Structures are given as structure tokens and as C-alpha cells.
Amino acid sequence: MKYFFTDCEGPLTKNDNAYELTACFLPWGEKLFRQLSVYDDILAYLVKKPGYNAGGTLKLILPFFKAYDLNNQEIEKFSQKNFLFVPHIIETLNFLQKIMPCFIVSTSYRPYIHALCKTINFPEKNTYATEIDLDKLKIGVKEKIKLKNYAQEIINLPELELSAGVKKFSQLPDRVKKSVQRLNKIFWEEMNNLRSNKFFEIIRPVGGEEKAEAILSQLGGRKELLENVVYVGDSITDRQAFQVVRKNGGLTISFNGNRYAIESAEIAVISRSAYILGLLSALFVHFGKEKVLELSKKFALAQVVNQTNRKEIIQKSEIFRKRFRGERIGQLG
Ligand SMILES: [Mg+2]
């Protein structure tokens, strides 16, 4: 038996749900989200803060959701109304579910994935998402004011940026270093006394490692079954899943991916339509991985990534991705 695993935001939808929620419900939310998203990248890749995984923006933003009285139901309602589906994905998923078990492994919040399952009639038990419960934690008025002040301060800090060439914290411009230091103080010292700090302890975003773990646990921990898996992803949190599936003989497909995806996947699809995912996966089911690679080349279905063409594919895919998903979302994570 073969198995289909896919990320959600990117291959299935064009949303960045956490970003959209922040932009919609919080004043200057776009700016706040951008600052936290870059801060998250800096902690994960430059500082390598122990125990800190990429995907942390989803955690860092939660106290501010609380400060502005966002609740579970509102997230679900908002998500339901704002789905941006990749063209033809619903019929493709319906088809794929007929030929093999299908799973969604997503970093997105549970209420978004819950709304998605309802909308496209996908079994929720076959999904992984970042579990959050905004209603369970109660915070007082004083804490809300404090959090709103922090949000304002973060928005007003010099803009955070992480250019592609920067490999060490010391290479960051001084103003960015200062902003990071202030954020460290806010999040890891001053907020320690707040009730909403609980979010940082209990929420475990489904990041890179968790996605790889999810696949393996779905297979009952049997690594030898990974050769039957096709995994579709598009960005940094798919990297580990790509690596583990590929190393063990499964098929890995980047769908309009960024450089992190194309550096780890064997096949790169750049497309406006999800049909190609159905086609490649069906070939995988019927003929196996080698045939998929062979026919991809022969009929120019998709690009098989190698040392020589990788750079060019990354460039094309990243340009297309920005246009396809919208400039701002395409740049994030
Ligand atoms: Mg994605």
C-alpha cells in the first residue's frame, strides 16, 4: 500500500492563516507578525536557542490574540470564510483518497484545519495541526493592557531583517541586534510573570521535526514503509519530512516551493494547478518511484532536481510562488 502525505498551506491552500488572523484582528497586525516572524527565524537559525524550533511565530503571537479577545470560534469562522484553495486541489484530493490513504501534516492552527476538513470533506483524524485552545486560558484586564503595550513596542522597534547571506548573529546590523535583545527580554524575562506565558510552555507547533515524526508514527514507526510514501511540501518546515522520506526511498515533491523545499525534494513542480500532484502520485501508486522520475523527465511533467539545475529551479519557483500566493505571504517562512 502507498500513502499520500501533504503539507497544507502551500500545496492545498494559498493562505497564511496565522498571518491573516493577526492582520485582521490586531491593530498594525501585519507589522507585528512580520517582526515576530523574522525574530523566530533569527532564534531558530542564528541563535539556535536550545529547545526552540522554527514555526515558533505561531506560539509567540498567541498572547496577543488573547489580549485582543480572539477566541477559538472566531478563528474557525474567519478561516472558513477566507479559504484560498489551490485550483483543482479538492477534486485531486478526492481522487487520491480513492487510491491510497491521505494525510495532511500542517503547522497551521487546529481551528483552521478543522474548518478545512469540514469544507472539503476530509477526515480530520487523518490530520496533524498545531493544537491551540484560546478559550481555556483566562487573563485579566491588567495583563491585556500590558500585552497591548508590548505589541505596540514591538511594532515600533527598528525593523527586523535577516538577509540570505547572514550566517551568524554577530553579522546582523546593530539596530537589528538591539531589537532582538529587547525582544529576548520581553519574551523570556518580562513575560515570565504573565499568565499567557503558559502558551509558550504548552503549545507545540507542528514544525519540521514534528512533521517527520507524524509521518513515522502514522506508519507505526516502521521505517521500511517510508518507501511507500509520497510527501508534498513547500517550505522550511517540510525539510525534515522530505529528508526522512527521501532517504528511505519514498517520493518527495516540492509544490511551488522555496529554496528550503527545493534543496530537499527530488521533484519540483511549479504550477497553478494541483492536477499535477494527482498525476505524479497516481504514477507512483501504479508504477513506483523510478517510473515517476523517468516519466517526469520524458514528458516534462515536472522537474527532477539535480546539482546542475537546482539553482535555476529555486529562482523560478520562488518568483512564481510570490506571484501565486501573493507577495507578502510568499516571502514569509
Ligand atoms: Mg507550507
Side-chain angles (χ1 to χ4, degrees), residues 17 63 124 129 188 225-226 242 257 304 318:
N17 180 246
E124 196 166 0
W188 317 116
L225 292 180
L226 283 166
F242 277 143
V304 179
E318 288 196 337

Side-chain angles (χ1 to χ4, degrees), residues 46 162-168 171 259:
L46 294 189
L162 178 58
S163 332
V166 175
K167 298 276 179 261
K168 284 189 203 148
Q171 294 170 328
R259 80 188 140 102

Side-chain angles (χ1 to χ4, degrees), residues 8 11-12 34 38 62 73 103 133 157 170 173 199 221 235 241 257-258:
C8 177
L12 306 192
R34 264 210 67 77
V38 181
L62 287 175
Q73 207 198 346
F103 301 90
D133 187 345
L157 282 175
S170 58
F199 285 129
S235 75
N258 64 14

Side-chain angles (χ1 to χ4, degrees), residues 7-13 15 105-108 211 231-238 255 321 325 333:
D7 171 38
C8 177
E9 290 181 354
L12 306 192
T13 66
N15 294 107
V105 186
S106 172
T107 311
S108 316
K211 285 189 177 189
Y231 184 82
V232 183
D234 77 313
S235 75
I236 191 143
T237 57
D238 301 307
F255 185 79
R321 167 190 179 82
R325 286 189 78 179

Side-chain angles (χ1 to χ4, degrees), residues 1 32 35 39 42 48 92 94 122 125 137 147 163 174 184 214 217 229 235 277 286 292 294 324:
M1 187 166 53
L32 180 64
Q35 292 279 67
Y39 178 55
I42 291 174
K48 300 197 168 76
T92 300
N94 282 338
F122 189 89
K125 64 173 177 32
L137 188 90
L147 285 166
S163 332
D174 280 346
N184 286 340
S217 86
V229 167
S235 75
L277 296 177
H286 294 296
V292 178
E294 186 193 318
F324 187 64

Side-chain angles (χ1 to χ4, degrees), residues 19-299:
Y19 167 78
E20 290 163 31
L21 283 167
T22 313
C24 175
F25 291 97
L26 275 56
W28 300 283
E30 291 183 22
K31 176 86 191 279
L32 180 64
F33 194 87
R34 264 210 67 77
Q35 292 279 67
L36 294 184
S37 170
V38 181
Y39 178 55
D40 173 48
D41 289 345
I42 291 174
L43 290 187
Y45 305 111
L46 294 189
V47 180
K48 300 197 168 76
K49 187 174 161 64
Y52 194 89
N53 292 328
T57 316
L58 269 81
K59 199 149 101 162
L60 297 176
I61 198 76
L62 287 175
F64 304 106
F65 282 0
K66 219 38 226 176
Y68 284 93
D69 298 314
L70 195 55
N71 60 41
N72 295 345
Q73 207 198 346
E74 258 174 325
I75 295 189
E76 199 185 315
K77 229 168 70 191
F78 174 86
S79 306
Q80 185 94 48
K81 269 201 310 218
N82 290 284
F83 279 120
L84 287 170
F85 287 106
V86 169
H88 315 124
I89 189 60
I90 299 177
E91 51 186 308
T92 300
L93 265 185
N94 282 338
F95 160 71
L96 288 174
Q97 285 184 86
K98 286 183 194 136
I99 59 171
M100 62 183 147
C102 296
F103 301 90
I104 296 172
V105 186
S106 172
T107 311
S108 316
Y109 294 132
R110 171 58 67 190
Y112 174 77
I113 296 299
H114 179 69
L116 178 94
C117 288
K118 273 210 297 207
T119 306
I120 67 171
N121 200 15
F122 189 89
E124 196 166 0
K125 64 173 177 32
N126 287 11
T127 65
Y128 295 82
T130 298
E131 305 294 341
I132 57 163
D133 187 345
L134 284 177
D135 304 353
K136 207 169 162 192
L137 188 90
K138 308 272 183 252
I139 66 170
V141 180
K142 270 194 194 154
E143 177 158 341
K144 284 182 191 170
I145 294 170
K146 234 184 204 164
L147 285 166
K148 285 177 186 175
N149 288 337
Y150 281 136
Q152 198 55 53
E153 189 186 342
I154 294 168
I155 290 158
N156 291 331
L157 282 175
E159 196 163 327
L160 269 71
E161 56 180 45
L162 178 58
S163 332
V166 175
K167 298 276 179 261
K168 284 189 203 148
F169 184 76
S170 58
Q171 294 170 328
L172 288 170
D174 280 346
R175 64 190 155 74
V176 176
K177 273 190 224 159
K178 273 202 183 130
S179 293
V180 170
Q181 279 151 1
R182 178 62 192 136
L183 287 167
N184 286 340
K185 208 157 165 47
I186 293 176
F187 282 106
W188 317 116
E189 290 178 35
E190 296 179 15
M191 279 175 74
N192 278 349
N193 315 316
L194 301 183
R195 284 177 72 89
S196 51
N197 184 49
K198 257 258 164 300
F199 285 129
F200 303 151
E201 289 165 29
I202 55 174
I203 305 291
R204 192 176 179 210
V206 178
E209 238 169 80
E210 291 80 6
K211 285 189 177 189
E213 275 169 24
I215 298 171
L216 207 55
S217 86
Q218 195 59 50
L219 300 173
R222 295 171 61 191
K223 270 198 167 165
E224 71 274 16
L225 292 180
L226 283 166
E227 64 172 23
N228 301 319
V229 167
V230 47
Y231 184 82
V232 183
D234 77 313
S235 75
I236 191 143
T237 57
D238 301 307
R239 204 156 57 164
Q240 272 124 321
F242 277 143
Q243 283 162 356
V244 74
V245 170
R246 182 174 183 167
K247 207 177 93 196
N248 291 281
L251 179 69
T252 48
I253 304 175
S254 154
F255 185 79
N256 298 331
N258 64 14
R259 80 188 140 102
Y260 300 107
I262 292 166
E263 276 164 6
S264 347
E266 293 155 291
I267 291 189
V269 169
I270 301 175
S271 176
R272 282 186 189 288
S273 163
Y275 281 147
I276 185 73
L277 296 177
L279 186 58
L280 294 171
S281 306
L283 285 173
F284 180 64
V285 168
H286 294 296
F287 301 108
K289 172 173 167 166
E290 288 315 311
K291 264 289 185 243
V292 178
L293 298 179
E294 186 193 318
L295 296 177
S296 290
K297 281 189 208 158
K298 197 168 179 179
F299 297 118

